[in-house]
Every structure is written in C-alpha cells, then in structure tokens.
C-alpha cells in the first residue's frame, strides 16, 4: 500500500496560509506503513506541548504500571493515599473515590483554578486545594472531564514510587521506549519547538495550561513536551500491546467503555481507562474512524490528538498549535475553541479523502 496524501497536504498548506496553525506534524500508520507530513517550520523532532494528551502518554501509563505490579487496583480508594487531613467537607465520600473513577472522569472532582501561591507550596497544598472543592456530582453517576482528578493520579504515582512525575516519566516511559527528546519543561528559548501557549507572551515557562504553569510546569493533567517521532514509538507500543508500555492485561481493560450507565449530559464523553472512546458526538476524528466504540484516543487543548483503531490496524497522530493561532487571529481577545476541534476534524477528513486509494 502506498499512501497518497495529496488532500492532507492541501489541508495543511491551507491551514498554514490561513493561520489556523503555525506548526503541524501528522503521522499515519496503517498495518506496517508509516507516513509523516509537516507544515510550517516543523520536522519529526519539533517539540509540541501535548497538553491533555499527557494524561494518556504519561499519567495513565504510570498508574497502569502500578496496576500491573499489584500496587493498587481499580477499586483502590484515594483515602489510602490521602488521610483525613487532606479533606474538608464530604470527607467520607471523597475518601471513597476510586482509581477507576479518576481514570474515567466519573469521580465528581472537576477542574478548578489552582492559584500560583498554592502551586508554589507543593504537592500537599495542591491536593488539599483540589479536595476542598465540593463534588460536582455523586461519583459514578456522570462523566465530566477532570484535569484535577488526573493531577491527583499523578501524585498517587509519585507516592507509590517515591519519585516526582518527571523522574517517573524518564525511568518508566522514556527509557523503556527509547524516546529521544520528549520531556517536561523545555527551555524558554528551546530550539525546534512550536509555540503552543495561548497567551501572548511566553512568561517564565513554555507550558500552556495555567494550572500546570502555576504548579511549576509538572502535573499529572498533562503539558509535557513531545515530538512526533517519540509519540510514534509510544503508539507502536500500543498497537503491538508491548509490555514496555503497559502490562499485557491493561490493553483489554483500558480500551473498553466504562461509562455507558452514566447520565448523558452536555459534558458527556464515553470513557475507557484514561482513553476517550469515540462516539457520535466526538467531532475530532471527522469521519475517518468509526464512532462505534472501537476507536480510542485522546486530545489536547493546544490542538493535538492521538487516535487508534485496532480493527483498521491504524493510528493517526496530529500535532498542531491551533489554539494559539486561534487566539492570534483574534488579537488575543478570546477565541472559539471549537475551531481547534474543527482543525482536527478537517485533517482527519483529508486523510479519509486520500484513503479511498488505500482500500480502507
């Protein structure tokens, strides 16, 4: 199979010309054939802030490692790691939140702002700040995407293994997969790095997410910096069900929907363990991948995504800085984030247009 990607290249060219993004890298792999293409001053080693894709590239794999080593189970309650001093109201309910509920965004913990003065005080202060917020709903009744719940998962990994999240990433993910470049907290003047922060000026850190910024650039909610060459290694490990990524039993467990019984509301998104399970309301993949429960992946606020389909034996990685350019087009006066969704949709649909020659 020789992949013809004329429509994808046209979509990328138009996207750069119309300032939908300044940097873009796309990788498509089906069966054993990989194709990459780029736009802007971008190559396969260009850094992108992967934002919430870090939840499945870093945090979930570390929790899965602990699951595989029987250091915890999906039913383990967070009260095992955070004693009563970390909780204020609803102590018993919050202590009973499970690892599975955090991984599936059904815990009732939702995102709230983490001030710089809280972030500067370190792990315990951030945990107390997150757990002080009232639950948005009773655990396991709804799905509501939660960066703060994943921050707690990152801290749990730190407590289990006795290392900070960046060191855990280096030891348990970067080294086993022979990643070349990816890391937390790249330099302000880092060469070959896309500008992904939506604010006008870079500030003291390149990381985009304001909470992660206030926490010093390292958090379980995401915001590590990856190049597409490294994400390909991770994705290849997922497709081959490599023990270097997860313990073998985790693949089956993580890729199924855990949320079919939850109330379907405006926030609803089918969820596996860490993964989004693509349904009919997910516009990010366009029409390329089926929305029948067989497609799983994740997106990141900055304009990145990673999606898999085992039946098609295919994955697609999209790295852009679309959200920053969305803001640039509006002179940093606010923006329509749905256009970041539409950028991913259009790139996936361009791949679909090209795929008619691939016998998909």
């Amino acid at each position: 199979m020789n992949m013809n990607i004329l429509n994808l290249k046209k979509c990328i060219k138009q996207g750069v010309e119309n300032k939908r993004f300044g940097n873009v890298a796309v990788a498509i792999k089906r069966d054993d054939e990989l194709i990459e293409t780029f736009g802007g001053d971008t190559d396969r080693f260009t850094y992108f802030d992967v934002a919430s894709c870090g939840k499945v590239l870093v945090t979930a794999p570390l929790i899965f490692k602990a699951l595989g080593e029987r250091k915890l189970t999906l039913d383990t309650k967070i009260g095992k790691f955070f004693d009563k001093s970390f909780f204020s109201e609803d102590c018993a309910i919050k202590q009973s939140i499970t690892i599975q509920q955090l991984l599936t965004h059904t815990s009732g913990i939702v995102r709230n702002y983490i001030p710089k003065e809280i972030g500067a005080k370190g792990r315990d202060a951030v945990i107390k700040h997150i757990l002080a917020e009232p639950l948005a709903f009773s655990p396991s009744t709804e799905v509501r995407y939660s960066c703060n719940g994943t921050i707690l998962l990152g801290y749990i990994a730190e407590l289990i293994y006795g290392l900070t999240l960046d060191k855990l990433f280096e030891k348990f993910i970067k080294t086993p997969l022979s990643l070349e470049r990816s890391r937390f907290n790249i330099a302000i003047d880092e060469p070959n790095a896309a500008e992904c922060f939506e604010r006008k000026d870079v500030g003291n850190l390149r990381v985009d997410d304001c909470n992660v910024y206030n926490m010093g650039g390292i958090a379980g909610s995401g915001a590590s910096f990856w190049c597409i060459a490294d994400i390909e290694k991770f994705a290849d490990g997922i497709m081959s069900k490599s023990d270097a990524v997860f313990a073998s039993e985790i693949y089956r467990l993580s890729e199924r929907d855990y949320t079919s019984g939850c109330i379907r509301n405006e926030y609803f998104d089918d969820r596996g363990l860490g993964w989004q399970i693509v349904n009919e309301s997910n516009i990010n993949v366009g029409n390329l991948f089926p929305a029948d429960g067989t497609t799983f992946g994740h997106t990141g606020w900055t304009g990145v995504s990673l999606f898999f389909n085992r039946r098609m034996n295919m994955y697609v990685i999209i790295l852009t800085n679309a959200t920053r350019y969305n803001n640039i087009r509006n002179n940093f006066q606010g923006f329509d984030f749905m256009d970041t969704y539409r950028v991913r949709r259009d790139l996936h649909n361009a791949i679909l247009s090209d795929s008619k020659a691939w016998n998909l």
Side-chain angles (χ1 to χ4, degrees):
M1 179 188 69
N2 293 312
M3 295 185 189
N4 177 328
I5 56 166
L6 293 179
N7 288 297
L8 176 59
K9 287 183 175 180
K10 180 180 179 182
C11 185
I12 288 173
K13 182 174 183 292
Q14 290 175 341
V16 173
E17 289 174 349
N18 295 330
K19 294 188 176 180
R20 297 187 81 189
F21 39 73
N23 296 86
V24 58
V26 179
I28 309 155
K29 191 166 188 180
R30 185 174 183 238
D31 298 326
D32 293 324
E33 185 166 358
L34 172 71
I35 190 165
E36 301 169 324
T37 189
F38 308 95
D41 186 15
T42 311
D43 59 41
R44 64 194 312 266
F45 295 105
T46 300
Y47 274 126
F48 286 80
D49 180 341
V50 296
S52 285
C53 276
K55 292 179 171 69
V56 294
L57 291 169
V58 179
T59 309
L62 293 173
I63 293 297
F64 294 162
K65 177 176 177 59
L67 286 169
E69 294 176 348
R70 308 296 189 262
K71 296 180 184 298
L72 49 69
T73 71
L74 291 176
D75 294 326
T76 299
K77 297 175 174 59
I78 66 173
K80 176 179 178 179
F81 303 100
F82 312 133
D83 64 32
K84 289 185 178 180
S85 68
F86 286 95
F87 299 85
S88 51
E89 60 182 39
D90 300 327
C91 177
I93 296 174
K94 288 177 181 175
Q95 282 188 305
S96 295
I97 289 170
T98 66
I99 297 299
Q100 178 174 314
Q101 289 165 345
L102 292 177
L103 284 168
T104 56
H105 301 271
T106 58
S107 69
I109 295 170
V110 296
R111 181 183 174 103
N112 69 332
Y113 179 65
I114 299 172
K116 189 172 183 178
E117 58 270 20
I118 296 293
K121 292 179 181 178
R123 180 169 63 204
D124 286 2
V126 174
I127 293 169
K128 289 178 180 179
H129 179 77
I130 290 172
L131 293 175
E133 286 288 310
L135 296 180
F137 54 86
S138 297
S140 290
T141 61
E142 298 185 28
V143 179
R144 198 173 304 185
Y145 187 69
S146 176
C147 290
N148 286 9
T150 319
I151 289 172
L152 294 181
L153 285 173
Y155 285 147
I156 287 169
E158 290 185 346
L159 291 168
I160 289 172
Y161 289 108
L163 294 170
T164 57
L165 198 65
D166 54 331
K167 297 294 190 297
L168 292 175
F169 168 69
E170 295 281 337
K171 182 175 181 179
F172 293 131
I173 300 172
K174 186 171 183 176
T175 298
L177 289 174
S178 299
L179 306 184
E180 297 186 49
R181 189 161 156 82
S182 301
R183 54 168 295 178
F184 285 88
N185 272 349
I186 63 173
I188 294 297
D189 58 351
E190 187 77 42
N192 199 14
E195 289 189 342
C196 295
F197 45 91
E198 67 181 72
R199 59 192 179 273
K200 188 173 183 178
D201 299 313
V202 60
N204 296 319
L205 297 169
R206 288 191 70 119
V207 66
D208 175 62
D209 184 284
C210 62
N211 280 349
V212 183
Y213 188 99
N214 288 345
M215 293 168 65
I218 299 170
S221 55
S224 50
F225 293 82
W226 289 65
C227 61
I228 204 163
D230 282 348
I231 300 181
E232 288 165 10
K233 291 181 180 180
F234 181 94
D236 287 340
I238 296 293
M239 292 302 290
S240 67
K241 299 186 178 181
S242 168
D243 287 340
V245 186
F246 306 150
S248 57
E249 67 269 24
I250 296 297
Y251 293 96
R252 176 183 56 82
L253 287 174
S254 65
E255 295 167 19
R256 69 178 183 86
D257 181 16
Y258 286 77
T259 55
S260 59
C262 293
I263 297 168
R264 303 185 78 88
N265 54 33
E266 62 179 310
Y267 304 102
F268 193 86
D269 199 4
D270 291 329
R271 289 283 165 182
L273 301 179
W275 299 115
Q276 298 175 11
I277 309 296
V278 172
N279 61 27
E280 65 282 353
S281 67
N282 189 315
I283 73 167
N284 288 284
V285 299
N287 297 312
L288 176 61
F289 289 118
D292 60 0
T294 65
T295 301
F296 61 96
H298 215 281
T299 61
W301 177 268
T302 50
V304 300
S305 64
L306 168 64
F307 285 100
F308 301 85
N309 191 282
R310 293 198 182 279
R311 193 168 62 196
M312 299 166 70
N313 199 24
M314 182 175 176
Y315 67 73
V316 174
I317 305 163
I318 291 174
L319 303 180
T320 75
N321 49 2
T323 302
R324 175 172 177 78
Y325 273 74
N326 200 342
N327 215 359
I328 286 172
R329 293 196 308 275
N330 291 284
N331 197 28
F332 296 94
Q333 299 300 310
F335 55 88
D336 173 15
F337 183 65
M338 286 303 296
D339 194 55
T340 298
Y341 285 73
R342 291 188 285 268
V343 164
R344 290 188 285 247
R345 175 202 64 191
D346 293 348
L347 289 167
H348 280 106
N349 281 343
I351 295 168
L352 177 63
S353 296
D354 290 324
S355 72
K356 293 175 182 177
W358 310 347
N359 296 317
L360 277 182

